[in-house]
Amino acid sequence: MNRIDLTFTYGRVFISAMKNDGLRNWFDQYVAGFTATENASPDLVTNIRLKKDHSKRVVKEILWIADQLNLDDDARDRAGVMALFHDIGRFEQYARFRTFADHQSENHAELGVKILQHHRVLDCLPPDRADLICRVIAYHNRSVLPENETEECLFYARLLRDADKLDIWRVLIDHYQRHGRDDNPAVALGLPDTPGMSDRVYDRVVNAKIVQARDMRNLNDFKLLQIGWVFDINFAPALQRVRDRGYVASICRTLPPSDRLTRIQQSVMAWFDKKLPAGRVSLHRGG
């Protein structure tokens, strides 16, 4: 990657970098390299494109949230860089392991940081800002954010996690609605589509708690985990967008009707009612 000419003042570095498209160009060229050969398999082409499109939509989501929060230009562009590169490890992960399941391959967030550092992608930015971006990317897929971090880092990590979820819901719902037509097993992490739901997974969702990935046993559990993401949305505009887009209802329609499902829906609706009227979602929440 050619370094961007930094003849700008310190406060304009991120804006100038994004305007010059240097980081976006590197991203596009890097991703294109995975499918440039004639013998690239159809599944590789499909899933590289899936994650490329996802990454760019997450940029749009995070910038939208930033605008709703009235963030300044520097913060807005910094968030955009984080979103663009948050899944940069996914491409090598799938190319090497043919899965997006971290527990079956490698932690894609940590792999992404290694890739950015190896290629010196962020050398065009001040070292402290490059370090902040890498830390946020490294944390974005953790079940719980670290407590011993700066408020600035945690703010951006929460922002990125919200934006990421907003588009992952869209990708997964589209996948469920296409069931049986061009089905892509990588999206559902290869989990079996068997009946029922695990007691522990159900208990966590109905009690407004985050589902732990280690507790999932089948595709239904995976869907409940996604429903439970509403309890980990940090900013009111993002939560409002979840409700407006009907994500939870769309996932519920792919699950068999049951008393348990009804109670889960009631729990989520109660959460929306509790969090949205005040116009703000707490940034610090247990569970």
Side-chain angles (χ1 to χ4, degrees), residues 94-114:
Y94 194 82
R96 287 170 54 192
F97 302 103
R98 289 302 194 273
T99 182
F100 291 131
D102 287 4
H103 67 281
Q104 295 177 3
S105 54
E106 187 170 351
N107 183 314
H108 76 277
E110 294 175 1
L111 177 59
V113 171
K114 292 177 186 176

Side-chain angles (χ1 to χ4, degrees), residues 139-199:
Y139 300 150
H140 87 271
N141 66 331
R142 291 192 181 184
S143 58
V144 179
L145 291 174
E147 295 181 358
N148 59 338
E149 257 296 355
T150 65
E151 276 304 311
E152 180 184 36
C153 180
L154 293 175
F155 172 83
Y156 283 109
R158 293 177 182 121
L159 196 67
L160 178 56
R161 286 156 74 92
D162 280 12
D164 194 21
K165 288 182 178 71
L166 284 175
D167 191 66
I168 294 175
W169 267 308
R170 190 205 64 80
V171 171
L172 290 166
I173 290 168
D174 179 69
H175 170 76
Y176 299 145
Q177 292 174 343
R178 294 172 60 85
H179 185 66
R181 298 178 290 116
D182 300 322
D183 209 15
N184 184 351
V187 175
L189 307 183
L191 289 165
D193 190 3
T194 53
M197 59 182 69
S198 301
D199 290 343

Side-chain angles (χ1 to χ4, degrees), residues 3 9 16 18 21-22 50 67 69 77 82 91 99 106 130 169 178 180 183 189 197 219 227 262 283:
R3 295 192 185 184
T9 62
S16 302
M18 295 300 285
D21 286 331
L50 179 78
D67 288 344
L69 299 177
D77 285 297
M82 294 167 179
F91 305 103
T99 182
E106 187 170 351
W169 267 308
R178 294 172 60 85
D183 209 15
L189 307 183
M197 59 182 69
L219 184 59
I227 291 172
T262 298
L283 292 181

Side-chain angles (χ1 to χ4, degrees), residues 263-277:
R263 286 192 286 271
I264 286 171
Q265 291 173 300
Q266 292 170 343
S267 176
V268 172
M269 293 306 108
W271 185 263
F272 284 142
D273 292 341
K274 175 184 177 182
K275 292 295 178 179
L276 288 176

Side-chain angles (χ1 to χ4, degrees), residues 4-50:
I4 300 168
D5 183 17
L6 293 182
T7 57
F8 317 104
T9 62
Y10 178 84
R12 302 293 292 176
V13 169
F14 274 84
I15 297 171
S16 302
M18 295 300 285
K19 283 184 177 178
N20 280 289
D21 286 331
L23 298 178
R24 286 194 180 98
N25 288 341
W26 184 89
F27 175 87
D28 288 339
Q29 292 169 13
Y30 175 78
V31 174
F34 287 93
T35 56
T37 60
E38 294 182 0
N39 61 349
S41 62
D43 71 294
L44 179 65
V45 173
T46 294
N47 286 302
I48 294 298
R49 182 183 300 116
L50 179 78

Side-chain angles (χ1 to χ4, degrees), residues 42 134 254 270:
C134 287
T254 72

